[in-house]
Amino acid sequence: MDWLKIGSALFLVAMMVLIFPQMRKAVKTAPKGTAKDWQAFLLPVIGVVLFVILLIAMVR
Amino acid sequence: MYQNQSVVQRTADSVLSTNKVLRNTYMLLSMTLLFSAVMATVGVTMQVSYGAALVADIVAIAMLWFVLPRTANSATGIPVLFAITGLLGFGLGPVLSYYLAINPSIVMTALGGTGVIFLGLSAYALTTRKDFSFLAGFLMVGMFVILGAALLNIFLGIPALFLTVNAAVILIMSGFILYETSQIIHNGETNYIMATASLFLSLINLFQALLQILGAFSGDD
């Protein structure tokens, strides 16, 4: 195993360690979304998915 | 009557301050993107190695976590932000060199695609004025899972997992763009330096993930 893989792995582990407390806080304190809120989020996300599929079709 | 005037005054002040944060964020974001593009060009021209790019990324993320929050409320925050975005741009050098060598049109498509996604999502958040603060937990858990999967794939090297991670990055970064824009609109984020850093990170991750996916599906990868 080369040092680049070890370095990348250590970098990702450090990121996970740094993110973990923020993630726990966000899960505990963030307001819960209603079905309508999630719909409002899914709409643009579906748009992004369709757009990425279009881009993939363009480069194939 | 007096109370109503006071409420109107406070609302007007809030709208003005939101517009100011939004305007400053977009102005700083465009400047940092330009600077990052220049640094990415330097990285490509110098043909930096993956090792050097990793070091640049580590320094940038360390500054983002430990230096920027301490300087974001002062003028020092701006050069720190430029240093971070410059290093992250420089870190893109090897990936860009790779794709430019095999098929330059993929890089342009990924760049244009990132721009369209960002503008579309920002326009959606700005016009609907929807509060996306409920996404915070979901996005952070998503990010954590992505990092775990990416870590696993360093050792496993499964192409399908690589594609799944990149597809998930596109979705999570799209969520972060909506979340951060709505935070600015609803006064959840009043510091334009921190807002710029957050949007910049979403954009650079979105671009890189889109580039990897387009590269994999183009058949040149």
Side-chain angles (χ1 to χ4, degrees):
Chain A
M1 178 165 297
D2 60 305
W3 71 269
L4 197 62
K5 275 188 177 180
I6 297 167
S8 304
L10 288 174
F11 178 52
L12 289 176
V13 169
M15 290 277 288
M16 287 174 83
V17 170
L18 287 169
I19 278 180
F20 188 73
Q22 286 203 357
M23 179 190 75
R24 226 169 46 169
K25 190 181 161 203
V27 170
K28 277 184 186 167
T29 59
K32 297 279 171 273
T34 62
K36 209 177 159 192
D37 288 335
W38 285 101
Q39 263 178 14
F41 166 62
L42 283 177
L43 190 74
V45 166
I46 291 168
V48 169
V49 171
L50 293 175
F51 181 65
V52 171
I53 292 171
L54 175 78
L55 291 180
I56 291 170
M58 275 170 61
V59 297
R60 282 193 99 158
Chain B
M1 180 69 179
Y2 179 76
Q3 200 181 8
N4 284 348
Q5 275 180 342
S6 167
V7 170
V8 170
Q9 180 66 41
R10 253 184 296 152
T11 311
D13 287 348
S14 168
V15 169
L16 282 177
S17 105
T18 302
N19 285 343
K20 199 178 165 195
V21 175
L22 205 57
R23 198 180 54 231
N24 287 342
T25 301
Y26 284 146
M27 198 154 45
L28 192 56
L29 184 64
S30 51
M31 286 193 287
T32 50
L33 283 171
L34 204 66
F35 181 62
S36 184
V38 171
M39 290 306 289
T41 311
V42 171
V44 171
T45 315
M46 284 173 63
Q47 293 190 322
V48 287
S49 65
Y50 279 96
L54 180 66
V55 171
D57 285 343
I58 290 171
V59 173
I61 297 298
M63 285 177 77
L64 188 76
W65 279 96
F66 303 111
V67 184
L68 192 65
R70 288 177 174 83
T71 55
N73 288 316
S74 65
T76 323
I78 293 177
V80 170
L81 182 66
F82 272 92
I84 292 167
T85 55
L87 283 166
L88 288 173
F90 185 74
L92 281 178
V95 180
L96 286 177
S97 297
Y98 175 75
Y99 285 108
L100 284 171
I102 59 167
N103 187 351
S105 73
I106 292 174
V107 178
M108 298 321 290
T109 310
L111 201 61
T114 306
V116 170
I117 292 171
F118 176 70
L119 290 176
L121 292 172
S122 302
Y124 180 80
L126 289 169
T127 51
T128 60
R129 299 188 74 82
K130 185 100 192 135
D131 185 2
F132 287 106
S133 56
F134 67 94
L135 287 176
F138 168 76
L139 294 175
M140 292 306 284
V141 171
M143 195 64 224
F144 192 78
V145 172
I146 286 172
L147 289 172
L151 176 65
L152 202 65
N153 211 35
I154 287 178
F155 304 103
L156 299 176
I158 304 169
L161 184 57
F162 173 76
L163 283 179
T164 309
V165 166
N166 281 304
V169 168
I170 292 177
L171 296 182
I172 293 294
M173 291 309 140
S174 299
F176 269 115
I177 292 170
L178 289 173
Y179 171 78
E180 191 58 46
T181 310
S182 102
Q183 285 292 96
I184 299 169
I185 297 169
H186 296 97
N187 290 323
E189 181 61 89
T190 51
N191 186 311
Y192 67 94
I193 296 177
M194 292 307 284
T196 304
S198 176
L199 285 174
F200 181 89
L201 275 184
S202 302
L203 274 171
I204 201 162
N205 284 320
L206 185 64
F207 169 68
Q208 215 167 344
L210 196 55
L211 186 62
Q212 309 270 27
I213 283 196
L214 294 180
F217 280 103
S218 71
D220 299 316
D221 201 5

